[in-house]
Amino acid sequence: MTGNALIQIAVYVFALLLLAKPLGSYMARIYEGKFGAATRLLTPIENLIYRVSGVDPAQGMRWTQYALAMLAFNLLGLLAVYALQRLQLLLPLNPQGLPAVTPDSAFNTAISFATNTNWQGYSGEATMSYLTQMLGLTVQNFVSAASGMAVLVALIRGFNQKNAATLGNFWVDMTRSTLYILLPLSFILALVLVGQGVVQTFKPYQTVPLVESYTYDQAKLGDDGQPLKDAHGDPVTEKQTVTEQTIAVGPAASQVAIKQLGTNGGGFFNVNSAHPLENPTPLSNFLELLSILLIPAALCYTFGVMVGDTRQGWAILSAMTIVLVAAILITLSAEQSGNPLLAELGVDQINSPLQAGGNMEGKETRFGITNSSLWSVATTAASNGSVNAMHDSFTPIGGLVPMVMMQLGEVIFGGVGSGLYGMIVFAMVAVFVAGLMIGRTPEYLGKKIEAYEMKMAAIVILIPPLIVLVGTAVAVIAAAGKASVFNPGAHGFSEILYAFSSAGNNNGSAFGGLSANVPFYNAMLGIAMFFSRYWLAIPVLAIAGSFAAKKTVPVGVGTLPTHTPLFVVLLIGTVLLVGALTFVPALALGPVIDHLHMLGLH
Amino acid sequence: MDFAYLSLIFIFFIVSILLVLGCDVLGEKQ
């Protein structure tokens, strides 16, 4: 690791923690209905939305009503995205005349964007019209993030309320999350990104002359479409000269801003934030990177404010940050060390003023090892999934870390809202385990944790591993699953495991290398994304409803303090232990074997 | 194919609604 790398990581983490408090307290004020002068400007729009949609903002909802409202809203969004993709050829803003998306891909993408996963089996610039990107995918980027924030706010209210039957109003929480938090932040970020050179236009793709033409040999095809061969069996080729290039453009900046802020991650272009028109400069890279974790970090502070004890929020944020920094350092170290097999061949992998050194395969030279490693961990710690380097080309340990970050359940920052509610469930399990070990009453933030809450917590914790491991097992057995693997052996297994870890934890990043835009993977990963989103949100709301109905227990000598360094360690231990116990066997078959091969151990 | 995928989506939502109801019944029992 270089000094420069450590400084960049320190600046990133410092900026993140610095912004967590002001944004977190702003969000708390929004959810508590305490509007300032600036936010009051948007109140007429909020009220108009309620009037038009017939919502009574004062009406509280039971947890079941809250959950059903969330499901109904998400169903409509999912159907809208599916329809937009299937009908895009008949709709406006399709200057390239892109055809309808295939049904299996449309199914996968609709679930992917409604669930805040943003797994992309398709290539954006070759598949989606501008209308589908804007009205389908970008809108879902906003509302799927707002859905996660709404569920979190409902859970926090569960802690706050005593003997109450309701958790607030889903429509109000959704509207406020979008209108007062996501939209203003995205608007500002989109403008800055446009200033940095991220493209934002409705013009069709641009064909431009190349500064320097080039010639290459292309295989000649026969009438049957197969390559022609000469008498020696060698392919017959002809010279082709390329003088121009088509550059894909479109309304990217507005989508990129919310893709980062809403922990969505679905790129406008196929190579996501490695694309020069999606992430053109070091500053755009830093801002997009910061945006990945900004709201999840700030929500920890919001949580602290809303439960009346900011130390609780800082404790959770500390646990997340410690795991994040450790993961960044491991990845960075692995990538900077490079590949010993290449060193044996005499390749110079030492960092110097002339080169980055280490493993630069699959990385943008503009970003280098540090920013690629930092991004890979941040994007998988959060359920973002955008990439600025190809994780498939990382060293085995460098690729293992992003996989583990997802397999921990997307609770190290995680998705906006969903990451924190997942972490709160882990905090409940930590309290419960501590209670069992030392005989203290299991209670968290004044609420007794009883059998019902633990059953719901068990569903939350067990669903993702079940989906990931069963899905991976089916894929490595089924012929259709194996047909998409081009790297047989341990690395191919890693690619499948990564795909299901990504979908089954609503991350959305791709390892690469796996040909996933086929009916088998579109269906399997679509199912994984659906259930890992809603079957977690539902038991979390059930816990919220149960807590709201309970009385608040005053802090006593038997209460385990949940704001201390000891609890932070206990929380990290719980998260790591559950993740490790569940996934170590699968990881041993993929990246661990890959690593041993790299070291020459067969 | 559209019918098959849309049916699948509706089935997923129906089983999710059943999960809501199941969790509620479990909560009422306790």
Side-chain angles (χ1 to χ4, degrees):
Chain A
M1 269 182 282
T2 63
N4 176 290
L6 294 175
I7 290 170
Q8 290 194 61
I9 294 167
V11 168
Y12 175 68
V13 174
F14 178 74
L16 184 68
L17 297 178
L18 192 71
L19 291 170
K21 185 175 174 181
L23 180 60
S25 53
Y26 168 75
M27 289 194 286
R29 286 199 300 276
I30 294 299
Y31 289 123
E32 288 171 342
K34 299 172 187 167
F35 296 121
T39 44
R40 255 187 234 119
L41 294 173
L42 295 170
T43 308
I45 301 174
E46 183 190 356
N47 292 335
L48 180 68
I49 292 170
Y50 298 147
R51 257 204 310 279
V52 169
S53 49
V55 169
D56 175 7
Q59 189 185 20
M61 291 177 163
R62 282 194 72 232
W63 83 261
T64 47
Q65 292 171 304
Y66 204 98
L68 293 174
M70 178 200 69
L71 287 172
F73 183 76
N74 278 262
L75 172 64
L76 288 177
L78 214 152
L79 294 176
V81 177
Y82 185 91
L84 275 168
Q85 293 176 87
R86 295 290 291 139
L87 300 172
Q88 68 177 10
L89 189 57
L90 309 173
L91 297 170
L93 287 175
N94 186 1
Q96 300 309 122
L98 294 169
V101 181
T102 58
D104 58 298
S105 181
F107 167 80
N108 181 284
T109 304
I111 293 180
S112 176
F113 278 74
T115 57
N116 199 249
T117 311
N118 294 35
W119 169 270
Q120 293 174 291
Y122 63 90
S123 163
E125 61 268 48
T127 313
M128 300 294 179
S129 73
Y130 294 166
L131 188 77
T132 308
Q133 295 261 32
M134 293 181 78
L135 196 59
L137 308 187
T138 306
V139 167
Q140 285 305 311
N141 281 353
F142 279 99
V143 295
S144 66
S147 281
M149 293 163 88
V151 173
L152 171 69
V153 172
L155 178 60
I156 296 174
R157 290 203 191 102
F159 285 111
N160 281 349
Q161 313 215 53
K162 298 172 205 165
N163 305 319
T166 60
L167 292 171
N169 188 303
F170 172 77
W171 308 113
V172 172
D173 294 333
M174 271 288 302
T175 307
R176 288 185 178 171
S177 300
T178 309
L179 189 63
Y180 295 104
I181 299 167
L182 297 172
L183 267 172
L185 284 174
S186 301
F187 186 73
I188 294 166
L189 181 61
L191 283 182
V192 176
L193 291 178
V194 167
Q196 288 298 300
V198 178
V199 67
Q200 179 77 14
T201 179
F202 284 131
K203 284 184 182 170
Y205 297 174
Q206 303 290 296
T207 301
V208 295
L210 289 176
V211 175
E212 193 176 333
S213 62
Y214 70 95
T215 304
Y216 67 98
D217 292 323
Q218 179 161 321
K220 276 184 90 169
L221 302 179
D223 294 336
D224 58 355
Q226 297 300 311
L228 291 176
K229 293 187 176 174
D230 61 17
H232 302 289
D234 296 324
V236 178
T237 60
E238 58 186 348
K239 295 281 181 199
Q240 289 281 346
T241 300
V242 180
T243 57
E244 55 185 26
Q245 179 188 4
T246 300
I247 297 176
V249 293
S254 52
Q255 185 166 330
V256 172
I258 184 61
K259 142 203 154 187
Q260 299 301 93
L261 285 163
T263 60
N264 299 281
F268 192 89
F269 301 110
N270 188 34
V271 293
N272 214 296
S273 285
H275 196 290
L277 295 182
E278 191 156 332
N279 187 9
T281 66
L283 180 60
S284 71
N285 190 69
F286 180 78
L287 292 174
E288 289 182 22
L289 190 53
L290 190 62
S291 305
I292 293 175
L293 297 181
L294 180 62
I295 295 179
L299 279 171
C300 293
Y301 191 79
T302 306
F303 167 67
V305 172
M306 290 182 74
V307 298
D309 183 0
T310 52
R311 296 173 305 174
Q312 304 292 340
W314 286 122
I316 288 182
L317 184 57
S318 305
M320 291 175 172
T321 308
I322 289 167
V323 178
L324 176 86
V325 172
I328 292 170
L329 294 178
I330 294 169
T331 306
L332 184 63
S333 170
E335 293 308 298
Q336 194 66 63
S337 299
N339 185 337
L341 295 176
L342 290 176
E344 283 173 16
L345 297 172
V347 177
D348 181 8
Q349 295 179 86
I350 307 297
N351 171 267
S352 73
L354 295 176
Q355 65 162 6
N359 173 35
M360 275 296 290
E361 183 191 314
K363 294 185 180 66
E364 259 280 7
T365 49
R366 296 182 298 138
F367 304 132
I369 288 176
T370 304
N371 278 292
S372 302
S373 303
L374 194 50
W375 190 298
S376 72
V377 176
T379 196
T380 48
S383 75
N384 186 277
S386 64
V387 292
N388 72 351
M390 297 304 113
H391 297 180
D392 196 31
S393 293
F394 278 27
T395 59
I397 297 300
L400 177 144
V401 173
M403 222 182 295
V404 169
M405 295 305 283
M406 296 185 293
Q407 290 164 349
L408 292 179
E410 288 300 3
V411 294
I412 308 303
F413 292 93
V416 285
S418 60
L420 185 54
Y421 67 64
M423 194 58 149
I424 291 171
V425 170
F426 269 103
M428 288 167 51
V429 173
V431 168
F432 192 77
V433 170
L436 288 179
M437 284 195 294
I438 57 175
R440 289 189 173 189
T441 312
E443 61 190 60
Y444 186 50
L445 302 175
K447 298 291 182 181
K448 277 197 173 186
I449 300 169
E450 295 173 295
Y452 179 71
E453 289 82 27
M454 286 316 296
K455 283 176 189 165
M456 296 298 112
I459 294 175
V460 173
I461 289 174
L462 290 176
I463 290 276
L466 185 76
I467 289 170
V468 172
L469 294 175
V470 171
T472 304
V474 171
V476 295
I477 292 169
K482 288 187 284 190
S484 292
V485 178
F486 301 114
N487 289 299
H491 199 71
F493 180 80
S494 293
E495 290 170 354
I496 295 176
L497 180 63
Y498 192 104
F500 280 95
S501 299
S502 178
N505 289 284
N506 293 135
N507 179 273
S509 69
F511 210 40
L514 182 75
S515 181
N517 195 10
V518 293
F520 175 80
Y521 280 105
N522 278 333
M524 289 287 287
L525 296 175
I527 294 167
M529 290 185 281
F530 184 94
F531 288 103
S532 60
R533 175 72 168 184
Y534 303 117
W535 279 46
L536 267 59
I538 290 167
V540 165
L541 287 171
I543 291 171
S546 174
F547 278 159
K550 291 183 180 197
K551 61 182 182 185
T552 302
V553 183
V555 175
V557 287
T559 305
L560 177 76
T562 51
H563 59 269
T564 60
L566 179 67
F567 183 73
V568 172
V569 172
L570 185 64
L571 181 56
I572 293 172
T574 307
V575 172
L576 294 182
L577 202 64
V578 170
L581 286 175
T582 313
F583 288 103
V584 160
L587 290 168
L589 294 173
V592 173
I593 290 182
D594 238 358
H595 182 69
L596 296 176
H597 282 169
M598 190 181 76
L599 296 178
L601 303 169
H602 293 280
Chain B
M1 286 308 287
D2 284 320
F3 179 75
Y5 283 112
L6 290 172
S7 303
L8 212 51
I9 289 170
F10 278 105
I11 291 168
F12 290 169
F13 275 98
I14 289 167
V15 294
S16 298
I17 291 167
L18 291 177
L19 179 67
V20 174
L21 300 176
C23 290
D24 194 34
V25 170
L26 198 63
E28 295 292 327
K29 276 188 180 173
Q30 308 205 19

